[in-house]
Structure formats: C-alpha cells, structure tokens
Amino acid sequence: MTGRRIVYPPGGKMLKSHSCGELRLDHVGQDVTLAGWVHRRRDHGGVTFIDLRDREGLVQIVINPESSKDARTVVETLRTEWVIQVMGKVNKRPADMKNPSIATGEVEIELAKIKVLNPSKTPPFSINDDSDVDETLRLRYRYLDLRRSRMQRNMKLRHQVTKFIRDFLDERGFWEIETPILFKTTPEGARDYLVPSRVHPGEFYALPQSPQQLKQLLMVAGTEKYFQIARCFRDEDQRGDRQPEFTQLDLEMSFVEREDVMALAEELFTSLVETVTPTRELLSKPWPRLTYQESLDRFGDDKPDIRFALELQDISDLVQGSGFRVFEGAIEAGGSVRGINAKGAGSYSRREIDGLTDFVKTHGAMGLATIAISDDDEIRSPIKKFIAEDLLKAIIDRLAAEPGDLLLFVADSNEVVYEALGKLRLHLRDKLQLVDANVLAFCWVFDFPYVTWDEEGKRWDPSHHLFTAPMEEDEVLLDSAPGEARGQQYDIVLNGYEIGGGSIRIHSRDLQEKAFKLLGLAPEVAQERFGHMLEAFEFGTPPHGGIASGIDRVCMILAGEPNIREVIAFPKNQAARDVMAGAPSAVDPKQLEELHIAIIEEKG
RNA sequence: GGGGGCGUGGUGUAGUGGCCUAACAUGCUGGCCUGUCAAGCCAGAGACCGCGGGUUCGAAUCCCGUCGUCCCCGCCA
C-alpha cells in the first residue's frame, strides 16, 4: 500500500530535507539533504554510486570525477551501514540508466557535500538482503535485524493494524482505557508471572493473563464501550504462535447480545484486511459460521482451516458389524471410525504412509488404517483381508475416492479421532500444498460446550473462562447435565489459527456463584479470589460481552510469516529468554533481600 | 517434563570413517576499472568442524554426555 508521503521541514529542523524513498521526477532540480545508511557502494574507479537507505526506501547517489575532491575522499572510506548525510541535486536519470526495480529509479542525486554521521562495524549478518540467518543471531542483534526490509515491513504492517483498529473503534464510540499491569493472581488457567511486593513481605502481584476482570468492571463502571491494545502475560511453554508476553485487542460492550459482538468484530476484521492488505483474497464475506460440533465433525478441529476441503467422513455406520475388531471395538467403546481422502496421495510409498502413521501416533491415535488406490485402480490396504469386499467398496464410495487417492482412517474415542485426523489434515495440507497463501479464510465457531470434564482433575473446566455466560436456555442444565450446556462463546478463526474469542458474560452475582460452584471453586475460595467481581455484580451491572483477539497472530498471518516472533520487535526465544539483553538474569542478593525472597536451589 | 531436527570461516551451505593440508557462495581486506544498481575483474586473509569424553591405526563424519537453538507432545485460549 502507498504510505503517507513523509515531508521533512525545510530549513534544517532535521538532518534531512526529504526521505530517500520519497524522491520522484517531481523533485528534479531541487537541492536536497538526505541522511541514512549506506546500503551499497559501487566504485567504478571514476564514477562511484552509493545506494542510500532510510526507512522509506533507497535512492542512488552519484559521485563523478567532477565532484569535489573532499567528497570523493570521504566516499572512498564509506562502508555498508555507515550513517551519512548527503547534500546534492536531484537529477533525472538518462533513459537507459533508469532502475525500474526501485521506486526512486527515475532519479539520482548528484553529490555536492557529504558528512559521515557515524561509521559502522561490519555487521554480523547482511542488512542489505533478506538472506536466511540463524534466528539466535538475529535475536542477539535484533536492532540490526529490525533494520532489514522484512522486519521493517512487518513493523510497519503491525503499526497499520493497530492504527486501523484504534480509528475503527474510536469512530464507533469506544474508549481506549489502560488497565493495570500489576494485578492479582488467578491460579485458574495459565500460570501467572508473579511480582514480589517490597512493601508487603510475602505478597505478590501477578501480571494479567488478560484484562478480563478489569474490562468487565469497566462495564459495571458504565463505560459501555471499551477497548485496549493490551499486553498479556502467561508463564507457559512457548510455541511458534505463543510468547510469554503477547498483545491482545481487548474489547467489551454493554447492552449487547452475542450477535452484536460478532457483527462488530466481523466488520472490524473484514475492513481491516481490506484496508491493510488489499491484495489478499478474502475467501468469503460474510464469514461462514460453524457450530463447535460441526467444526469437529467436518474438520476434526475447533479452529478449522477452511481454505481446503479434505473433510472428515464418518464410516462408523458402515463398519459396525464388519467383524473387524479394531473398528468395532472403537465404536462399542463409544467412539467412532472416521477417515479423510488424501486426494492424489494414492501413489505414496509404504515408507511415506508409515510416516503418516507415526504422525497420528504422536497425536494419540493407536494407528492409521489406510486404503491406497493406485492410478490404475489397484487397491493396496492392510485392512483388505479383514473386511468384506463390498464393505471396502462402500467405504471407498463414502469417501468419494477415485484412482490416485489415499484414504486414511482412525478408530478411537471421538476425542482422539478428531485430534488425530484434524492434525493429519493440516499435515497433508502442507505436504500436498493444498492452500493458496494469498487467501484469508475467516470463520466463526460458536455453541461451544459450556464446560468440559477434566478426567485428571475430576472436575469441570470452563471451555472459555470463568465469567462466560451459559446459553440462557441451557442454564437449567447446569445442575442436571453440565456437559450438555452450551456457552455464549464465539471464536474467530483465520486460516486455522484461533485469532480471537469472546463471550457474553455473566452479570449477576447468583449466576456467577453458581458457575464458580460448578467449576469447583469453594465459596470461600471464590470470595477470596473474585470477591471484588461478585460484589461489583450487586451494583447494577449491565448485560455485557466482548471479545479479545491476538494481535500478534493476526499480524503474523497478514504478514505471511511462519511465527509471531517475526512480528514482535523484541521477542523471546523458545526458552522464554531475551537473548539480546540476557533476560531473565540473576539479581543482586540485596535486591532479593529487599523483596524478602530466598532462592531455593534445584534439587538433584 | 517428554520426543525429534539442527550446530562446519563473519553469514549461508557442502562434506556423514582415510581422497579434508576441510570445499562453495557471499561478506571482509587490498588493487584495477567513468554508468552501475546483487556492478565486474585480480589478489589475499579468514573455520582445526558447539563443548567434553569415548570407539578406531585413523573422527567434522560413529557412540555417550553436555550446552545452544528450532519444531512437536504435555501445558497453554
């Protein structure tokens, strides 16, 4: 997209009159002062060129034998990444010397004066190209990495995303309100980052996992429409799309129902991507809506990537009574047998199919039943000898299989079947290159179960969070059959990533207490941890709901990057370490003493 | 907490038991060159192969351990 033209004030308010990247034919004849980094230098003996770079782009500086001796002497010493200031005249380039590959390629600067503002050591990796560099090295010299075009592009994109969100919500009456970073621990959910209190020995603040409670209290406070681009903290192990601190668009509205929040969020994100990434193709508008159950049945995933098909098919009804114990056993135990048709993978070797089997095993499945149909219609299948031929045909029909296809089945509990096939589906997406990277596929997933049973902890866990309201018609189920109640929750999914989720909240003390009780919080514990919420709900709390969206993930997808570190200026590595500054680090014993903290050495 | 991949001049890679006195590209240093834009040409410096131990006549290469890093599971909205 075309950025705002940067015009520097004339008369020496800054060290430059123009940015390098903004110069065009209109500027021909003007005397300009530029400042930036030496991108490249091409010394031809007589004539020398410098590509001068700043944030806005590149421009070519020409030094002729007719240029001043002083200038030529300085130019000889220049090296890449030196910071220089140049004064010169903008000339039109002769016709055969234009460079269409850069925006300023029609012009060049005839050097009059040059000043070295700061020399540079040879950087540890090249700044002037986008070659791959070991990520640890990039992180260690992040300030240099951020100078490279990829990161400049990503940081700019991120700015445009947050700027768009702010403008959009401002226009609709939202107030941006900051909430505390030092708050109260909530042992439910993720692990908290704790901050010791110096003035209160033995007591700790916690960094917020999200501003959830505070934004609800802002609704109690009559704010009605709130948002924040908020930093959130979770002390859990990292992934490519998870960092210990990350940024959420957090918003909350009073006097709304589920549809109101969904409509707002859908409009926000649709217009966001249409504005910020106009060349990306939006798969569908309005967004498809999937119930949680439909999402699992079709994609084996509650955050489905709907850019490609490869949908799951249930064959339980077919294989029941087939005599094949692996299939029958799963069904008898309450599970199912489902499969996907990996179109065009029928020629996979034994070795490749074994690879797929190993893959599903890492996701809990016992194994993978396969039916490979070669291009000349020959069927290879380890289960062929266990099932009748007409059943095999029926299964092939159900999966709409053709020569050249590979059918893959998992028989297990529904939970395992969904997980294994859902992940296998994504694995095949990458292996078979089934998606167009330019497409953006949003969808809604809703009608989540209100709670899910945690077998290990022998208790009900919230599928969203503690403050989500159940569907009104399902409230009666909370006592009788909590597992069947649905929550007033909705998730935004983009290209297989959950980029946002929200709910209508509970706004009455009675219902909130009931929810706490269901979730195994004893009244006195609930009072200790969330007394302020319960109390607030007694003072005329409006019905309210909202949504939160992971800005890092959104930017990652819009930037086409493989992980969120690429859209965070100073991210931490997989081990949650800042390798540039060296955080976390040991602290002075004096500091610990002041905080009333003693270190316990690791045992063993 | 568990599993897997990777670690070789500054950078990116090749080499997977002797041909390695470690190769290639790029970068770096010096020289030549008046129109290039990933400039070109010539010359040069630069790694004992993450670290420690072991196997072997012989290890960058095999084994064990360790450290770093990335990915996945667990965990986490």
Side-chain angles (χ1 to χ4, degrees):
Chain A
M1 54 184 299
T2 50
R4 194 159 37 105
R5 185 66 68 88
I6 308 290
V7 180
Y8 294 93
K13 287 264 172 57
M14 282 184 75
L15 299 180
K16 46 163 85 179
S17 65
H18 295 74
S19 70
C20 299
E22 73 175 297
L23 298 172
R24 297 290 183 277
L25 283 175
D26 314 347
H27 297 90
V28 167
Q30 289 187 29
D31 287 310
V32 297
T33 304
L34 303 175
W37 290 263
V38 176
H39 191 68
R40 276 200 182 82
R41 189 185 59 133
R42 291 179 294 281
D43 183 349
H44 288 239
V47 64
T48 297
F49 303 97
I50 299 165
D51 287 340
L52 187 64
R53 183 192 74 235
D54 66 15
R55 206 183 70 173
E56 307 303 322
L58 289 176
V59 69
Q60 174 165 283
I61 317 290
V62 192
I63 301 92
N64 285 309
E66 299 76 41
S67 305
S68 79
K69 181 89 197 310
D70 286 353
R72 282 186 290 125
T73 307
V74 172
V75 165
E76 272 174 39
T77 67
L78 294 180
R79 294 294 181 270
T80 52
E81 298 310 311
W82 283 34
V83 181
I84 60 173
Q85 180 186 41
V86 300
M87 274 143 274
K89 185 191 269 177
V90 182
N91 286 339
K92 182 178 178 178
R93 291 205 203 184
D96 54 340
M97 292 169 196
K98 290 176 183 172
N99 183 358
S101 63
I102 59 174
T104 61
E106 303 243 35
V107 299
E108 61 189 8
I109 311 300
E110 184 186 340
L111 184 71
K113 277 173 75 180
I114 180 167
K115 185 179 176 189
V116 173
L117 298 177
N118 214 346
S120 170
K121 285 169 64 172
T122 301
F125 49 84
S126 57
I127 311 296
N128 56 19
D129 65 38
D130 268 333
S131 56
D132 274 343
V133 179
D134 176 71
E135 193 173 354
T136 306
L137 193 68
R138 290 174 56 204
L139 291 177
R140 181 157 160 219
Y141 296 96
R142 190 60 159 181
Y143 42 85
L144 297 181
D145 190 34
L146 289 167
R147 225 185 251 173
R148 307 202 324 158
S149 63
R150 174 188 186 176
M151 286 294 125
Q152 294 252 312
R153 194 174 61 235
N154 290 353
M155 291 304 110
K156 182 177 179 183
L157 173 78
R158 189 170 175 134
H159 160 73
Q160 289 170 328
V161 167
T162 51
K163 170 84 164 64
F164 182 92
I165 290 170
R166 286 195 162 98
D167 291 345
F168 180 97
L169 292 173
D170 172 65
E171 282 165 20
R172 283 157 186 79
F174 285 78
W175 293 350
E176 182 171 10
I177 298 177
E178 293 170 88
T179 53
I181 293 297
L182 297 177
F183 197 52
K184 186 180 168 81
T185 183
T186 51
E188 301 69 29
R191 276 182 277 261
D192 284 324
Y193 278 100
L194 296 176
V195 179
S197 164
R198 175 183 57 80
V199 290
H200 300 288
E203 297 183 346
F204 296 82
Y205 302 95
L207 307 183
Q209 294 177 25
S210 81
Q212 181 62 36
Q213 295 180 42
L214 295 150
K215 72 174 172 179
Q216 288 191 245
L217 293 169
L218 286 171
M219 294 303 105
V220 181
T223 300
E224 296 199 38
K225 290 180 178 179
Y226 142 92
F227 83 100
Q228 183 179 190
I229 310 280
R231 196 63 61 84
C232 307
F233 305 87
R234 290 177 193 164
D235 187 4
E236 294 294 346
D237 288 346
Q238 308 308 296
R239 286 288 188 283
D241 60 355
R242 287 181 354 213
Q243 282 271 304
E245 53 179 307
F246 60 98
T247 303
Q248 247 179 215
L249 161 63
D250 193 50
L251 72 85
E252 196 79 3
M253 303 154 80
S254 294
F255 309 111
V256 289
E257 295 177 330
R258 191 161 73 165
E259 284 297 328
D260 302 309
V261 183
M262 290 170 78
L264 177 95
E266 185 163 334
E267 194 197 343
L268 167 58
F269 280 103
T270 299
S271 48
L272 169 71
V273 301
E274 285 175 345
T275 305
V276 175
T277 55
T279 62
R280 299 293 291 269
E281 182 193 337
L282 204 56
L283 184 72
S284 62
K285 194 169 101 172
W287 302 348
R289 293 184 172 204
L290 299 164
T291 66
Y292 172 80
Q293 193 57 51
E294 185 188 358
S295 183
L296 287 180
D297 286 340
R298 292 177 56 192
F299 305 103
D301 198 343
D302 63 1
K303 44 179 171 52
D305 187 345
I306 58 169
R307 287 176 296 176
F308 66 109
L310 240 67
E311 294 190 19
L312 278 58
Q313 298 288 339
D314 194 341
I315 59 162
S316 304
D317 58 311
L318 293 179
V319 300
Q320 199 154 27
S322 63
F324 184 37
R325 285 309 302 161
V326 175
F327 284 180
E328 288 186 338
I331 297 166
E332 280 162 26
S336 56
V337 183
R338 293 167 206 253
I340 54 178
N341 179 352
K343 293 228 81 81
S347 58
Y348 269 22
S349 66
R350 172 74 190 274
R351 190 193 172 90
E352 283 176 297
I353 293 173
D354 286 349
L356 299 179
T357 305
D358 290 342
F359 178 83
V360 295
K361 281 180 177 169
T362 68
H363 293 279
M366 301 296 287
L368 197 58
T370 62
I371 301 174
I373 307 169
S374 67
D375 289 328
D376 48 9
D377 214 8
E378 190 193 330
I379 293 173
R380 284 183 298 150
S381 172
I383 61 167
K384 208 170 157 182
K385 55 180 175 287
F386 298 110
I387 60 174
E389 192 160 336
D390 58 336
L391 175 56
L392 193 65
K393 284 271 184 306
I395 293 172
I396 289 170
D397 279 356
R398 174 73 57 91
L399 281 278
E402 299 170 333
D405 290 355
L406 174 65
L407 310 183
L408 304 157
F409 301 90
V410 173
D412 213 307
S413 67
N414 284 324
E415 198 182 19
V416 169
V417 170
Y418 290 140
E419 167 69 13
L421 287 180
K423 287 285 167 35
L424 182 61
R425 188 176 165 268
L426 298 179
H427 184 68
L428 290 165
R429 168 194 68 187
D430 299 334
K431 212 169 146 69
L432 299 170
Q433 300 186 347
L434 297 177
V435 296
D436 174 353
N438 195 46
V439 171
L440 295 172
F442 287 95
C443 66
W444 285 108
V445 179
F446 62 106
D447 276 356
F448 283 80
Y450 183 56
V451 289
T452 52
W453 182 250
D454 174 20
E455 191 51 45
E456 211 173 305
K458 301 287 179 206
R459 62 189 161 88
W460 293 104
D461 280 343
S463 55
H464 188 43
H465 57 57
L466 294 165
F467 306 104
T468 298
M471 294 291 285
E472 274 178 45
E473 62 266 38
D474 292 354
E475 272 182 42
V476 290
L477 294 169
L478 297 189
D479 300 312
S480 52
E484 287 167 33
R486 293 160 301 158
Q488 294 201 48
Q489 180 198 345
Y490 32 81
D491 277 2
I492 301 175
V493 177
L494 172 56
N495 291 4
Y497 288 93
E498 186 210 316
I499 61 149
S503 62
I504 298 302
R505 327 297 185 186
I506 294 169
H507 61 274
S508 84
R509 176 165 186 142
D510 287 351
L511 187 55
Q512 188 66 68
E513 284 182 327
K514 195 170 177 179
F516 284 156
K517 193 178 153 205
L518 172 64
L519 298 167
L521 282 180
E524 56 278 14
V525 177
Q527 184 59 39
E528 202 281 316
R529 287 180 194 162
F530 303 110
H532 53 288
M533 298 293 288
L534 293 170
E535 192 173 18
F537 290 164
E538 295 182 297
F539 288 97
T541 300
H544 62 285
I547 197 162
S549 170
I551 293 295
D552 311 281
R553 284 184 191 171
V554 170
C555 292
M556 168 186 85
I557 296 165
L558 295 188
E561 290 289 0
N563 66 65
I564 64 172
R565 295 186 298 274
E566 304 296 345
V567 295
I568 297 173
F570 298 99
K572 293 172 182 58
N573 71 8
Q574 177 101 357
R577 213 169 252 294
D578 179 324
V579 295
M580 180 182 66
S585 59
V587 299
D588 193 294
K590 267 189 189 154
Q591 279 179 286
L592 288 176
E593 200 177 319
E594 254 188 347
L595 295 169
H596 322 281
I597 288 198
I599 304 294
I600 300 168
E601 293 297 330
E602 196 91 36
K603 292 185 204 105

